[in-house]
Amino acid sequence: MIILSVNDLTKSFLNENILEDLTFSISDRDKVGIVGDNGSGKTTLFNILTKDLSFDSGDINFAKNVNLSILRQNISYTSDKTVYEECLEVFEDIILLEKEIRELEIEMGNKNLSEDEIHKLFDIYESKRHYFEENSGYSYNSKVRGVLFGLGFLESDFSKSVNNLSGGQKSRLHLAKILLKPSNMILLDEPTNHLDIESIQFLESYLRDYKGSCLIISHDRYFLNSVCNRIFSIENKKLKSFNCGYDEFVSRREKEFEINRHLYEKQQKEISRQKEIIQRFENYGNNRFIKQASSRRKLLEKIDLVENPEIYKNSMKLKLVPEVESGKDVLTISDLSMGFVDKNLFDNINLNIYKGDKIGLVGKNGVGKTTLFKIICKDLKPIKGSCDLGARVSLGYYDQEQKTLNNQNSVMEEFWDAYPRMNNFEVRSHLAKFNFYDEDLFKSVGELSGGERARLELLKLMLSKSNFLLLDEPTNHLDIESKEILEKAIVDYSGTVLTISHDRYFLNKVVNKIWYLEDERITEFYGNYDYFLEKLNEKNEVEEKVISKTEVEKEKKKKREIEIQERAKKQKLQEIENKIFEIEDKIELLNKDIQNPEIFNNKDKFLKISEDLSKLIKEKENLYLEWENYL
């Protein structure tokens, strides 16, 4: 069933079209990813669909039963409520209904009511109870806890005031509310921002199992590949629909590009040939040849020109070349320990980085990845141990927060300050390679978008000619084509790379080792991200770091304790479920009895059964709550 159809949608700003004649439809349970360069119109389309922006022409039709949930970028809000209370807002109507049901139970126990009044109350009660049960009335608390845990919140965070959360935490809380809200279509704009890898994996699983439709803007290619069965590509103001996952879309797009390039080159050759013939005929000066030249010229003017596909490709040229080669030993980490007053980050780490290594540093948010970078750069002093650079190692650092950029400078000034020996022509030439032209050169750095700031940082990094690069989330803010250019540059780079990234697609492309930071230790895995994930998920696989016999015994003991607890938990759950089944049988029998005319017309019996029903329903609800606590 089609739940959204868009026909000939056009939108312009200042008399320039941003989107032209977009036509597409989305069916029930479709998971659609929207991709395109920064500025291609993805968010414009999103804002039109969410009615935050008008459009010039065309039609947008949602099915009548569509209930939307919408996640916008950069949402910030204030609230005096706790994190848990904020999530419960989603179930406000169910919580109020629960209160009404309790009040009805009390009212039905009033012995002064007539039979008709009791009968009417009972009908209302049954209707409300059925709606309550059908709409997660017995499970909303467990749903809230599950989503909050999945998005990286700790139990201790539940009682925190929303006003005291960081910007990233507020974004995650807003996403939690979107996922909890009952809906049959979700619109998400960059949902993986502010999420670590484990939270992204939870979101992927949630959306794959979601029974409605999704429309997702994302630069996270691994995420798109995992979730989406369709891809909408916005390019040159148009939208193309691909009924496939992201990897197949890339393959089809590349083939399409080669076909269009071939058609363009073939047509250009034919146009050149015809122009030569026309010129030759005109040079003859004969009337017959002049007429033929005129005829050919008219035919040439009527040709539908094939566009050059190269003009829509990202023209950024990134090549990372070290000025000097480092020695074999690039970085030696010895007995490194680091922490702060309230938290230890890592303890007694011993690792080496060798020339040519491309290493991805992964782990949850807050475990100390950026702190390790700052120690390597000598911006922080560790509690114990050292990070020593090898011979002839020159360090280049890409800071995800881009604090090295001066917001008051123009783009040209910022670059010239970093490379003062260059002349005006050289500065302009280098900036042009990174898509900074004309008026862009005189924009203040503070005015730049996240993607433009990232490109400026990458340009400065490229010209540093360092042989050891520390890259902290280098693909943040980059569109997909820019990411692909960066990936190729790193793959071709002869130096050494240590990168922090949540971009799993990027990690798969560029790294040959993974450092996994968890529980104050770093475990080294040889291979890309998928290989690391495979090893991490193999429960019986021998760990790659050496564990002492004592630690092995501790692990075995811990597993045995967990197994005992799990058995006890399963047994308790089974007992509770059996009790619930018994009570449901009793409720069913009493519901049949209360319909009996003999009992229905006997006020005392009717009231007695109503009272028993109320007690059983209350007992059943308490058992459900107990059951939730054991999940």
Side-chain angles (χ1 to χ4, degrees):
M1 183 182 86
I2 292 176
I3 63 169
L4 169 63
S5 65
V6 175
N7 295 297
D8 298 325
L9 180 72
T10 295
K11 173 65 181 176
S12 63
F13 286 112
L14 302 174
N15 297 322
E16 182 181 350
N17 282 353
I18 304 299
L19 302 170
E20 288 181 355
D21 302 323
L22 270 58
T23 297
F24 61 86
S25 64
I26 297 175
S27 298
D28 189 32
R29 298 206 177 192
D30 269 348
K31 306 294 192 297
V32 181
I34 305 180
V35 300
D37 293 346
N38 289 336
S40 62
K42 303 186 298 296
T43 299
T44 299
L45 175 60
F46 186 93
N47 289 335
I48 289 171
L49 295 177
T50 58
K51 299 183 179 178
D52 290 331
L53 195 63
S54 63
F55 55 97
D56 299 325
S57 61
D59 296 301
I60 299 175
N61 295 297
F62 285 95
K64 288 182 180 179
N65 62 338
V66 170
N67 183 16
L68 292 177
S69 280
I70 301 164
L71 177 73
R72 296 174 177 84
Q73 279 198 67
N74 304 320
I75 288 293
S76 182
Y77 56 91
T78 58
S79 172
D80 294 325
K81 294 180 180 178
T82 66
V83 168
Y84 198 82
E85 288 167 346
E86 190 72 17
C87 285
L88 287 180
E89 267 193 354
V90 175
F91 300 99
E92 191 173 8
D93 59 333
I94 295 299
I95 293 168
L96 287 172
L97 182 60
E98 187 175 19
K99 186 180 178 183
E100 289 174 17
I101 290 170
R102 298 287 82 81
E103 290 170 352
L104 279 170
E105 288 172 358
I106 295 168
E107 196 174 348
M108 279 166 41
N110 186 347
K111 295 183 180 181
N112 296 321
L113 294 175
S114 67
E115 291 171 9
D116 283 345
E117 288 173 328
I118 293 171
H119 186 59
K120 285 178 183 176
L121 282 174
F122 183 75
D123 286 344
I124 294 169
Y125 174 83
E126 276 298 291
S127 173
K128 288 181 182 290
R129 188 187 64 78
H130 179 72
Y131 182 86
F132 180 77
E133 195 169 320
E134 289 291 310
N135 290 273
S136 307
Y138 296 115
S139 61
Y140 66 83
N141 278 297
S142 60
K143 282 186 176 181
V144 169
R145 293 173 65 83
V147 169
L148 286 175
F149 283 137
L151 292 178
F153 287 95
L154 304 174
E155 183 93 42
S156 57
D157 295 326
F158 291 5
S159 57
K160 286 182 179 177
S161 168
V162 173
N163 288 333
N164 293 332
L165 298 180
S166 67
Q169 287 174 317
K170 284 183 178 179
S171 295
R172 285 190 283 128
L173 177 59
H174 183 62
L175 176 58
K177 291 179 70 175
I178 295 299
L179 299 182
L180 289 166
K181 179 186 172 185
S183 64
N184 52 12
M185 186 173 189
I186 298 179
L187 276 61
L188 303 170
D189 192 356
E190 296 295 352
T192 59
N193 286 357
H194 311 292
L195 299 184
D196 59 23
I197 289 176
E198 288 191 11
S199 297
I200 294 172
Q201 288 170 338
F202 165 80
L203 181 60
E204 286 171 354
S205 177
Y206 189 100
L207 294 177
R208 282 196 300 266
D209 295 338
Y210 176 64
K211 293 179 181 177
S213 303
C214 299
L215 188 65
I216 305 163
I217 295 174
S218 182
H219 288 144
D220 187 331
R221 296 157 294 172
Y222 201 103
F223 174 79
L224 290 170
N225 213 34
S226 177
V227 173
C228 298
N229 66 313
R230 298 179 68 196
I231 298 293
F232 288 172
S233 175
I234 299 180
E235 186 178 309
N236 188 28
K237 307 170 189 176
K238 307 284 187 181
L239 183 146
K240 290 184 181 178
S241 175
F242 295 80
N243 294 323
C244 58
Y246 182 80
D247 275 348
E248 191 177 338
F249 153 71
V250 171
S251 177
R252 288 191 195 180
R253 186 186 61 172
E254 287 173 354
K255 287 177 184 174
E256 190 176 278
F257 176 82
E258 287 304 315
I259 290 168
N260 289 337
R261 187 171 61 82
H262 175 72
L263 289 173
Y264 171 77
E265 290 173 353
K266 186 178 178 181
Q267 187 182 68
Q268 289 300 306
K269 284 180 183 177
E270 179 58 22
I271 289 171
S272 295
R273 191 178 74 86
Q274 290 296 334
K275 284 180 176 179
E276 285 177 12
I277 293 171
I278 291 167
Q279 186 65 49
R280 198 161 59 245
F281 282 178
E282 287 176 341
N283 289 339
Y284 289 155
N286 183 295
N287 282 339
R288 183 166 62 87
F289 284 117
I290 289 172
K291 284 181 182 179
Q292 285 186 16
S294 177
S295 176
R296 284 177 181 264
R297 192 180 295 281
K298 286 177 182 177
L299 287 172
L300 202 58
E301 288 169 355
K302 291 179 182 179
I303 288 178
D304 289 330
L305 293 175
V306 176
E307 286 187 308
N308 181 3
E310 292 284 354
I311 65 174
Y312 301 117
K313 289 200 78 174
N314 191 321
S315 60
M316 187 172 84
K317 295 177 177 62
L318 176 60
K319 191 169 185 180
L320 301 167
V321 181
E323 190 166 34
V324 296
E325 287 194 17
S326 69
K328 181 184 175 184
D329 296 318
V330 172
L331 179 70
T332 303
I333 300 176
S334 306
D335 301 324
L336 188 69
S337 297
M338 185 62 185
F340 299 101
V341 176
D342 57 340
K343 187 176 184 181
N344 284 335
L345 294 176
F346 28 84
D347 181 51
N348 240 26
I349 292 175
N350 290 278
L351 286 164
N352 293 290
I353 295 179
Y354 302 105
K355 180 186 171 185
D357 277 345
K358 310 280 174 65
I359 301 172
L361 177 59
V362 302
K364 292 181 180 179
N365 288 338
V367 294
K369 302 186 295 294
T370 300
T371 299
L372 178 59
F373 270 30
K374 288 180 178 177
I375 292 171
I376 295 170
C377 293
K378 309 299 181 187
D379 292 333
L380 275 178
K381 188 176 180 181
I383 293 171
K384 190 185 79 167
S386 62
C387 289
D388 299 313
L389 295 175
R392 299 188 305 281
V393 172
S394 56
L395 193 63
Y397 181 35
Y398 178 93
D399 178 10
Q400 67 159 320
E401 296 178 358
Q402 298 161 346
K403 289 180 180 176
T404 59
L405 298 177
N406 184 343
N407 289 333
Q408 307 308 314
N409 278 345
S410 69
V411 169
M412 204 164 172
E413 287 169 340
E414 178 66 23
F415 183 69
W416 220 334
D417 284 352
Y419 297 97
R421 294 185 179 181
M422 288 188 182
N423 60 40
N424 188 291
F425 175 76
E426 288 172 323
V427 169
R428 286 173 175 268
S429 296
H430 283 300
L431 287 167
K433 290 176 185 175
F434 277 66
N435 298 337
F436 291 106
Y437 305 100
D438 302 327
E439 64 269 15
D440 293 338
L441 303 177
F442 304 102
K443 276 185 183 177
S444 73
V445 172
E447 290 180 85
L448 300 180
S449 68
E452 288 170 325
R453 291 170 69 90
R455 281 191 275 120
L456 188 55
E457 277 277 272
L458 286 172
L459 174 58
K460 288 168 69 177
L461 185 71
M462 179 182 81
L463 294 176
S464 72
K465 298 185 179 179
S466 306
N467 54 33
F468 178 32
L469 301 180
L470 295 181
L471 308 176
D472 192 353
E473 297 291 359
T475 61
N476 279 6
H477 309 296
L478 294 180
D479 58 40
I480 288 175
E481 282 202 64
S482 297
K483 289 181 182 183
E484 290 170 350
I485 290 166
L486 174 61
E487 285 163 0
K488 186 177 186 308
I490 294 174
V491 168
D492 294 341
Y493 178 55
S494 62
T496 308
V497 177
L498 177 61
T499 179
I500 297 169
S501 183
H502 291 141
D503 187 337
R504 297 158 295 168
Y505 206 95
F506 169 78
L507 291 171
N508 268 343
K509 288 278 188 180
V510 306
V511 307
N512 53 27
K513 289 181 185 177
I514 293 286
W515 281 4
Y516 182 43
L517 178 51
E518 184 188 42
D519 297 332
E520 303 176 22
R521 303 267 179 111
I522 293 180
T523 310
E524 187 172 70
F525 295 82
Y526 288 84
N528 64 9
Y529 180 81
D530 277 347
Y531 177 82
F532 150 73
L533 203 60
E534 181 185 327
K535 289 299 176 185
L536 202 63
N537 291 333
E538 289 176 2
K539 293 180 182 179
N540 298 322
E541 189 76 21
V542 178
E543 292 187 341
E544 293 196 19
K545 67 175 180 177
V546 178
I547 302 175
S548 69
K549 290 182 181 180
T550 307
E551 286 174 319
V552 171
E553 287 303 316
K554 282 181 182 176
E555 285 296 314
K556 285 182 179 178
K557 185 180 178 183
K558 186 178 177 182
K559 284 180 181 178
R560 284 196 297 270
E561 287 172 355
I562 290 170
E563 286 170 1
I564 291 167
Q565 288 171 1
E566 284 296 317
R567 282 198 296 271
K569 179 179 168 182
K570 284 180 182 177
Q571 186 177 345
K572 185 64 180 176
L573 280 170
Q574 190 61 53
E575 289 174 7
I576 294 170
E577 286 169 5
N578 290 338
K579 285 181 184 177
I580 290 171
F581 294 146
E582 287 175 16
I583 287 173
E584 285 178 339
D585 289 341
K586 288 178 182 178
I587 289 172
E588 189 177 348
L589 287 171
L590 287 176
N591 277 326
K592 286 179 182 177
D593 288 346
I594 209 167
Q595 302 299 326
N596 187 328
E598 183 184 335
I599 292 172
F600 183 75
N601 295 320
N602 186 318
K603 184 177 180 180
D604 291 337
K605 286 184 179 179
F606 187 90
L607 286 173
K608 177 67 171 65
I609 290 175
S610 295
E611 189 178 336
D612 291 344
L613 265 174
S614 180
K615 287 178 181 177
L616 286 170
I617 289 167
K618 182 69 176 175
E619 188 179 348
K620 176 184 170 183
E621 289 171 3
N622 288 335
L623 284 169
Y624 266 117
L625 289 173
E626 189 180 353
W627 182 75
E628 284 176 19
N629 289 333
Y630 274 95
L631 288 177

